[in-house]
């Protein structure tokens, strides 16, 4: 048995991380591009079912979600949860950005940074 930490750590520059995320997004978009709309909907439903059955999700007091872009899994099925729902809001501050979470779930959203839907009450 190892007595080391239970996590891995590596140093990476912000630029390298951004480039890796960009490459990953391209690969994901290419893979998703070959799926039919019904297949994407089926897979999104499966993802929601898997999340909903996870013990950490079941035991949570609050749920943190995001509104998906067209090329991401659609998690809106999870918005029917009766627990408090929170959604990210990105504040672009030039050289840096911050993310805050605001209550949502009343279907009052507006496009925010990067075209991601955000709770309208966050403005």
């Amino acid at each position: 048995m190892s007595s080391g930490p239970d996590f891995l750590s590596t140093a990476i520059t912000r630029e390298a991380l951004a480039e890796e995320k960009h490459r990953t997004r391209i690969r994901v978009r290419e893979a998703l591009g070959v799926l039919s709309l019904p297949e994407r909907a089926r897979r999104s439903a499966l993802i929601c079912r898997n999340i909903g059955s996870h013990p950490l999700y079941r035991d949570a007091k609050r749920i943190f979600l995001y509104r998906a872009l067209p090329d991401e899994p659609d998690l809106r099925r999870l918005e029917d949860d009766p627990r408090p729902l929170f959604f990210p809001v990105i504040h672009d501050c030039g050289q840096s950005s911050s993310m805050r979470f605001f209550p949502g779930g009343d279907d009052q959203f507006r496009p925010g940074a990067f075209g991601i839907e955000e709770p309208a009450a966050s403005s």
Side-chain angles (χ1 to χ4, degrees), residues 63-96:
I63 306 299
F64 291 78
L65 293 171
Y66 67 91
R67 283 288 180 95
L69 292 171
D71 60 347
E72 297 176 330
D74 185 353
L75 303 180
R76 283 181 288 180
R77 290 175 183 234
L78 297 173
E79 291 181 27
D80 293 335
D81 197 296
R83 293 172 285 189
L85 303 174
F86 294 87
F87 294 83
V89 175
I90 307 294
H91 295 281
D92 191 359
C93 306
Q95 288 284 60
S96 65

Side-chain angles (χ1 to χ4, degrees), residues 34-90:
V34 299
L35 298 177
S36 67
L37 289 178
E39 179 61 15
R40 290 176 69 163
R42 187 189 73 75
R43 289 182 184 209
S44 289
L46 180 60
I47 289 169
C48 289
R49 196 167 36 254
N50 287 339
I51 291 171
S53 66
H54 194 282
L56 290 174
Y57 181 88
R58 288 193 321 256
D59 295 342
K61 305 276 189 266
R62 297 167 204 82
I63 306 299
F64 291 78
L65 293 171
Y66 67 91
R67 283 288 180 95
L69 292 171
D71 60 347
E72 297 176 330
D74 185 353
L75 303 180
R76 283 181 288 180
R77 290 175 183 234
L78 297 173
E79 291 181 27
D80 293 335
D81 197 296
R83 293 172 285 189
L85 303 174
F86 294 87
F87 294 83
V89 175
I90 307 294

